[in-house]
Amino acid sequence: MTDAPRETGPGADLPQLDDDAVLWSAPPEERAGRPLLVLLHGYGSNENDLFALAPYLPPAFVIAAVRAPLSPPFPTPGWSWFPIEGLHASDGTAATAAAEAFAAWLRGATDATTPVGLLGFSQGSVIALQALRLDPSRFAFVVNLAGFVADGDLPTDGELAELRPPVFWGRGARDEVIPAARVAHTIDWLPRHVELSGRVYPGLTHSVSEEELADVVAFLGKQLDALPARE
């Protein structure tokens, strides 16, 4: 495994996601016929971060935690989906490129009939929502924790608004990491395109609390109940 390329700008070319870095909750022989929940970590983190939540999530899911493909500028540790200036960018070019790289990994990781849900934190939530926007019929649901919707329009946004898949959005009332303009845009955008549920948690900063995790588990349980029975 080689080092990830350093960020060079919002439109940086992205390598393929590293298959060797993916953490799975079940071996290949135990994945058939089960829905897949993919975890996408935030900026400067890695695949181990959200995978620590796996023991608390519904065991019916096969869980995969992937690693973002870029390395942030020194001294920031970990990995990133796109350069941090993308957080303030006026378009979603970088988020789209990262979501397309993720989608390419997903196509090789599971078959097209497997129900897939996405759970992202912060920048990982941006990628989860952008992947949903790019291919609305592929994903059963998204959990957006402390994230936002990337700016700009996509040709598939109309299809998303027709399908209105379920999205849970949880964020902290004291989160000072995500710019207020990005939160405002997401407040306006999501209800017009998805079946939105969620909560703002008093006192919570840019993190995940036990209370929020309990709400996520309840949401995931509802999504399992809504999945069609598979033979």
Side-chain angles (χ1 to χ4, degrees):
M1 183 175 62
T2 59
D3 292 337
R6 291 287 177 179
E7 298 172 356
T8 58
D13 291 334
L14 295 179
Q16 294 180 344
L17 271 63
D18 187 352
D19 270 324
D20 293 335
V22 180
L23 299 177
W24 291 90
S25 66
E29 63 271 17
E30 297 179 10
R31 300 174 195 168
R34 297 170 61 188
L36 175 63
L37 177 63
V38 185
L39 311 182
L40 298 98
H41 66 77
Y43 187 88
S45 187
N46 59 57
E47 66 280 6
N48 292 284
D49 186 14
L50 292 180
F51 196 69
L53 300 178
Y56 306 100
L57 302 178
F61 286 107
V62 173
I63 297 172
V66 299
R67 177 188 292 175
L70 295 176
S71 184
F74 180 83
T76 303
W79 306 81
S80 70
W81 293 98
F82 54 84
I84 197 65
E85 60 263 27
L87 202 65
H88 305 277
S90 60
D91 65 69
T93 302
T96 296
E100 289 173 341
F102 164 70
W105 170 82
L106 183 65
R107 286 192 293 272
T110 190
D111 65 82
T113 65
T114 297
V116 178
L118 305 177
L119 186 157
F121 176 78
S122 192
Q123 196 183 65
S125 287
V126 180
I127 304 308
L129 291 169
Q130 201 74 346
L132 178 68
R133 294 174 66 186
L134 287 168
D135 194 354
S137 64
R138 181 64 187 97
F139 301 102
F141 61 86
V142 166
V143 176
N144 163 24
L145 302 180
F148 61 92
V149 175
D151 287 349
D153 297 325
L154 293 176
T156 44
D157 284 343
E159 179 186 354
L160 179 65
E162 291 181 1
L163 292 175
R164 297 187 65 81
V167 170
F168 176 89
W169 181 20
R171 61 185 178 91
R174 296 180 58 193
D175 187 341
E176 298 180 354
V177 172
I178 305 302
R182 302 278 64 76
V183 174
H185 170 66
T186 305
I187 290 172
D188 174 70
W189 197 95
L190 278 179
R192 295 188 285 109
H193 294 82
V194 305
E195 191 64 35
L196 181 64
S197 61
R199 189 172 172 187
V200 179
Y201 299 87
L204 184 63
T205 58
H206 194 64
S207 60
V208 178
S209 66
E210 291 184 8
E211 186 178 20
E212 184 177 31
L213 179 57
D215 289 340
V216 169
V217 170
F219 174 83
L220 293 176
K222 291 180 180 178
Q223 306 321 308
L224 284 171
D225 291 342
L227 291 176
R230 303 185 77 192
E231 296 182 358

